[in-house]
Amino acid sequence: MTNEFEKFTEDDYKDLIEDVKAAGAVPEPSPLFWNHLSARVRETVAAEPIPAAWWMVYWRPIAMAVGTAGLVAFVMLRTHAPAVPAPVAPSAHDLVADVEVSEMWRMISVAAPAVEMESAREAGLMPTEYATDQAIESLTPAQREALVRLLRKEMGVSE
Amino acid sequence: MSTAIAIWASQVTELPVTIDTLRGADDRALIAAFLGGHRDAFDVIVERHRKQIYQLCYRFLGNHEDAADLTQDVFVRAFKGLHSFKGDSALGTWLYRVGVNVCLNRVALKTPKLETIEPEQHVDQRNPDAHELVARGERAVVVRRAIAKLPPKQRATLVLRIYQEMSHEEIATVLNSSVGAVKANFFHALGNLKRLLQQAT
């Protein structure tokens, strides 16, 4: 084989590459073949469960712990922070913008999906029976309007 | 709203995500959507990469039936193994890696039956260049047979380098070897091919 390499000129190399390229044409299968192939794959994996991502195996417990701690911190801040009356009632648009840039809201958005109901219950974070009603009743009209906008946006409902 | 955000939002809100949205997503967003529970995302991955994988398998096996079977096998393995894909390389490169392994396993088990493509069948004999085309077709058959006789790793390197036009680094990723080993395999493949072609003529 060493002798072969010694005799391997640049022209030999180019000719050989051209030969290989010319021999590499793949006949185009019937257009129906592609859909048929996709259907075969779909049928074969139909009974298979979708496996969990590798990072979820490691990060789920950590994310749950961080999420729970975040929620506890949020509730404590809300409970102990002195209420400062706003001199002028902000508009609904301002409130939505404020909430969206708020670090606290961002933290809650990131942490909340990873927190199981069971973990939240164990941490004593479940609301009382009428807590939601009371919270909504305590909102100003502008705040309610902002809440509606946020919910619509989350649900993908246009205004 | 970008496609990735739309898919993420659908996972959070559990609203359905349309196949058109998925078709507009890049591979990373599709993987995230699939691992988040959207089976349709995997259909789009298959749709996007099936041709390249089929061509890879065809160039290894040399016939449509085996290439079709192995392409299906590659995507079934990808379905089961996509959760372990860490995004170190492009999804296409990862699929090539699955494809090459599947092809090498098949080649190790049984010698593929090369499809007989008679050049005369595809050439209009009234064409003034007909003889030239027939000669080229015959040469292609000889070259394909010679490539089929190469050791599997050399064949894999040759196919990925010349037909799939991958760099040495990409081939090293696909074959899970070093760049030096890829260069050596490619060089040996060409040397062996030259010898085999000389023997055939």
Side-chain angles (χ1 to χ4, degrees), chain B residues 136-194:
Chain B
R136 265 192 236 161
E138 282 169 353
R139 176 71 175 166
V141 170
V142 171
V143 173
R144 272 201 291 272
R145 283 189 184 136
I147 292 172
K149 287 179 184 165
L150 289 175
K153 280 259 174 172
Q154 289 179 21
R155 194 189 326 177
T157 309
L158 192 85
V159 167
L160 294 173
R161 183 84 181 114
I162 296 185
Y163 298 133
Q164 312 304 135
E165 297 181 337
M166 294 176 94
S167 67
H168 290 121
E169 287 76 15
E170 286 173 315
I171 298 170
T173 306
V174 169
L175 297 179
N176 203 19
S177 64
S178 67
V179 173
V182 169
K183 286 179 179 172
N185 266 329
F186 185 58
F187 200 51
H188 283 299
L190 291 179
N192 282 335
L193 199 58
K194 187 183 171 196

Side-chain angles (χ1 to χ4, degrees), chain A residues 112-130:
Chain A
V115 177
E116 300 278 354
M117 292 292 277
E118 203 54 46
S119 308
R121 188 172 288 114
E122 281 170 13
L125 298 176
M126 293 304 285
T128 58
E129 200 175 349
Y130 299 108

Side-chain angles (χ1 to χ4, degrees), chain A residues 58-133:
Chain A
Y58 303 105
W59 289 98
R60 202 179 168 105
I62 297 169
M64 278 173 60
V66 171
T68 308
L71 277 177
V72 170
F74 175 71
V75 170
M76 285 178 72
L77 282 171
R78 287 294 297 260
T79 311
H80 297 295
V84 180
V88 181
S91 71
H93 282 286
D94 291 342
L95 282 168
V96 171
D98 282 350
V99 168
E100 283 181 338
V101 298
S102 154
E103 282 296 318
M104 190 61 74
W105 175 254
R106 214 175 296 152
M107 185 178 74
I108 295 297
S109 304
V110 171
V115 177
E116 300 278 354
M117 292 292 277
E118 203 54 46
S119 308
R121 188 172 288 114
E122 281 170 13
L125 298 176
M126 293 304 285
T128 58
E129 200 175 349
Y130 299 108
T132 314
D133 291 349

Side-chain angles (χ1 to χ4, degrees), chain A residues 1-9 12, chain B residues 191 194-195 198:
Chain A
M1 193 52 58
T2 311
N3 291 338
E4 292 294 338
F5 291 146
E6 282 167 3
K7 287 185 236 164
F8 222 27
T9 65
D12 285 343
Chain B
K194 187 183 171 196
R195 180 175 52 82
Q198 280 170 346

